[in-house]
Amino acid sequence: MTTTTTTTTTLYSWWGFMYGLMMGSLIWKCGSCFEFEHSQPLPLQDWNNNVTFKAAAAFAPPLVVGLTLVNAAASKGAVCLDGSLPGYHIHRGYGSGANSWLIQLEGGGWCNSITKCVFSKKTRHGSSHYMEKQIPFEGILSNKAEENPDFYNWNRVKVRYCDGGSFSGDSQNEAAQLYFRGQRIWSAVMEDLMSKGMRYANQALLSGCSAGGFSIYTTLRRIPAFISKNSQSQVSQLDISGWRTLRYMFAGVVRLQGMQKNLPRGCAKRFNPIMCFFPQRLIASVRTPLFLVNTAYDTWQIQVSLAPASADHHGYWNGCRKNYARCTESQISFLQGFRNQMLYAVKGFSRLKKNGLFINSCFAHCQTERQDTWFSPGSPHIKSKGIAESVGNWYF
């Protein structure tokens, strides 16, 4: 078996999901050359509400792929929050891609308290009983060469997310009947895929969106040696009230799921273990090549950790959260400060020739799973290159 040393990040971006905080002026090109394209942010665009483009885009109906449950997982305790079986969707590769594998990790946020996890276990992010039995494969998962030129004929897998902790926990709460078994789920899914041909892979790419992109950092030490990665990032940043909402959220996840023992030892010795759950700390121990796809104005992070309703006591950000065109000058300045912090956080990462980045200035989230942002005539471009082309150039 030949092995590769390539890896992808979040395409969830550094958000981690696995798709996070830094997208605007750092770019990667030519496989090893990093440069700053802009010293100022690009014009802001709300890709989530780009109605004009969506209406004009004439994409063919996507391939729909069924859910596969991992039946052997139960005996290993590899179960979702509610104790149900984990699962994934797979579409087989062919031709030149018959022995190539792309693993996409689903996102879905985190549950950082018993109350939230009890709620989650009655949703698709906590139980396979609520998962869609079929899902469309679009963007990086598309089976059409005109939509996904580099990976369309690979074995493409979407791993469902149902542990609430980025495949990183290994504990349980008997009183609430909650199972935090992310690590076991990851191992069980990998074993199942190896039995279905992945052990013969000659090249592979691990990718993720949002919390799935974040999972890449936490699973790197537990994957077959031949897999390379693609992920997302997140940065610890003060919210509009001066509180660290994201740090508080991650603290709950780490403690609830007993992750302290699973975090990189080198990081845990230097920092509070909670800080070692942030990608900019985790990434220091990663040796595999990574590619970050992220927007500098990630909509999830704006809504949930930078300007959440809980921090906006007087409703000052209501209009901006609902329509970014209505953000005031001071609000845009705050968001640009967030962008600058993200770019600073990836400076060291960007100096390594094995890594790559695509950081744009759209209001968006999970750009690799959407056809309109992954590869289309109107998708985000930096110096005439879109996301799909940039990732492909870096990988190959």
Side-chain angles (χ1 to χ4, degrees), residues 68-298:
T68 298
L69 296 179
V70 185
N71 293 314
S75 63
K76 303 169 184 175
V79 293
C80 299
L81 286 173
D82 70 334
S84 60
L85 294 174
Y88 59 83
H89 303 257
I90 180 171
H91 188 250
R92 294 290 187 171
Y94 63 91
S96 61
N99 289 321
S100 299
W101 287 74
L102 188 152
I103 311 298
Q104 175 80 0
L105 305 182
E106 182 182 33
W110 301 271
C111 60
N112 63 332
S113 68
I114 294 296
T115 300
K116 291 180 179 179
C117 290
V118 168
F119 174 82
S120 291
K121 76 175 186 176
K122 295 181 180 179
T123 73
R124 62 189 176 93
H125 293 311
S127 170
S128 57
H129 296 313
Y130 297 94
M131 290 178 184
E132 306 92 324
K133 298 302 180 281
Q134 294 184 318
I135 62 171
F137 267 28
E138 301 177 285
I140 196 171
L141 293 173
S142 174
N143 66 324
K144 301 177 180 66
E146 64 271 20
E147 296 178 355
N148 188 24
D150 289 309
F151 309 111
Y152 72 95
N153 65 343
W154 284 31
N155 296 282
R156 300 171 324 285
V157 180
K158 175 80 171 277
V159 181
R160 301 306 294 268
Y161 177 54
C162 66
D163 67 287
S166 289
F167 298 96
S168 302
D170 191 11
S171 63
Q172 69 183 76
N173 186 295
E174 294 184 6
Q177 295 184 313
L178 287 169
Y179 300 89
F180 306 118
R181 301 289 177 77
Q183 285 198 11
R184 300 191 198 190
I185 290 174
W186 172 255
S187 296
V189 169
M190 288 297 102
E191 288 176 14
D192 201 55
L193 292 175
M194 294 293 261
S195 72
K196 293 182 177 180
M198 196 170 71
R199 65 180 180 274
Y200 301 118
N202 53 32
Q203 58 183 349
L205 177 67
L206 178 62
S207 177
C209 160
S210 196
F214 183 92
S215 300
I216 289 171
Y217 302 105
T218 61
T219 58
L220 287 183
R221 293 170 294 163
R222 296 177 282 119
I223 64 174
F226 63 84
I227 288 187
S228 73
K229 300 99 190 157
N230 173 342
S231 64
Q232 282 191 325
S233 303
Q234 294 170 319
V235 175
S236 178
Q237 163 95 355
L238 294 175
D239 65 25
I240 55 176
S241 69
W243 178 251
R244 293 190 182 276
T245 300
L246 192 59
R247 185 180 297 183
Y248 174 79
M249 178 189 295
F250 282 176
V253 176
V254 170
R255 290 166 182 158
L256 184 63
Q257 299 216 12
M259 295 180 186
Q260 294 93 328
K261 61 183 180 295
N262 302 322
L263 296 170
R265 293 180 181 178
C267 179
K269 287 181 179 179
R270 297 178 57 201
F271 304 100
N272 183 317
I274 295 167
M275 295 306 298
C276 296
F277 199 59
F278 279 91
Q280 70 260 44
R281 301 296 183 198
L282 285 171
I283 209 169
S285 62
V286 175
R287 297 292 177 264
T288 310
L290 297 171
F291 192 99
L292 304 180
V293 174
N294 227 100
T295 167
Y297 304 96
D298 182 78

Side-chain angles (χ1 to χ4, degrees), residues 15 19-25 40-48 294-303 306 324 327 331-340 342-343 359-367:
W15 179 89
Y19 260 38
L21 305 177
M22 34 186 130
M23 283 250 185
S25 63
Q40 297 299 322
L42 299 172
L44 303 183
Q45 179 176 3
D46 184 357
W47 215 266
N48 293 319
N294 227 100
T295 167
Y297 304 96
D298 182 78
T299 52
W300 182 92
Q301 198 144 6
I302 292 172
Q303 299 281 342
L306 289 180
Y324 300 117
C327 294
Q331 289 168 338
I332 289 295
S333 179
F334 176 82
L335 295 177
Q336 289 176 342
F338 170 66
R339 167 191 176 274
N340 292 337
M342 176 195 232
L343 295 180
I359 300 180
N360 60 307
S361 290
C362 298
F363 284 100
H365 187 60
C366 287
Q367 297 180 100

